[in-house]
């Protein structure tokens, strides 16, 4: 994606929808992106997830490989693990609060 400087941020045409005017913004200082046209946004992992059609873990592995960081596969939790379910329930309760 070709980014062009726009003040402290960068601007581009959104890769997630067809547009004529650039509405896709990247904030280097905040380490986030947002499209004002389709309202998608997130961090670098979320971008790789959406752009490449990958899961969170797959996207993290792609980015880790690009940064020459090794991820220990034994430490990755699946959605069926007990730890994941407990953390998910805690997060749900915090969101409801």
């Amino acid at each position: 994606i070709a980014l062009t400087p726009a003040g402290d941020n960068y601007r581009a045409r959104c890769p997630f929808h067809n547009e004529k005017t650039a509405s896709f913004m990247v904030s280097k200082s905040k380490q986030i992106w947002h499209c004002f046209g389709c309202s998608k946004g997130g961090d670098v992992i979320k971008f790789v997830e959406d752009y490449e059609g990958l899961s969170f873990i797959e996207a993290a592995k792609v980015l880790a490989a690009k940064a020459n960081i090794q991820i220990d596969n034994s430490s990755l939790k699946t959605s069926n693990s007990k730890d994941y379910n407990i953390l998910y329930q805690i997060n749900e309760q915090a969101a409801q609060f």
Side-chain angles (χ1 to χ4, degrees), residues 9-92:
N9 299 318
Y10 295 90
R11 178 185 308 234
R13 290 191 0 214
C14 182
F16 303 113
H17 75 280
N18 194 10
E19 65 181 0
K20 294 180 183 177
T21 305
S23 62
F24 183 87
M25 301 296 288
V26 177
S27 172
K28 185 176 179 181
S29 63
K30 294 179 184 177
Q31 298 290 304
I32 60 171
W33 59 274
H34 181 79
C35 177
F36 292 95
C38 66
S39 298
K40 283 191 173 202
D43 60 10
V44 67
I45 295 176
K46 181 66 176 160
F47 179 81
V48 173
E49 281 180 75
D50 291 350
Y51 192 73
E52 300 289 339
L54 302 174
S55 70
F56 176 85
I57 292 174
E58 292 169 330
K61 286 180 180 180
V62 166
L63 292 169
K66 287 183 184 248
N68 293 323
I69 298 171
Q70 288 197 349
I71 296 178
D72 180 14
N73 288 334
S74 66
S75 68
L76 297 175
K77 302 291 182 189
T78 64
S79 61
N80 295 329
S81 73
K82 181 180 177 183
D83 293 338
Y84 177 86
N85 290 329
I86 291 170
L87 291 174
Y88 184 79
Q89 291 171 358
I90 291 169
N91 191 33
E92 277 291 315

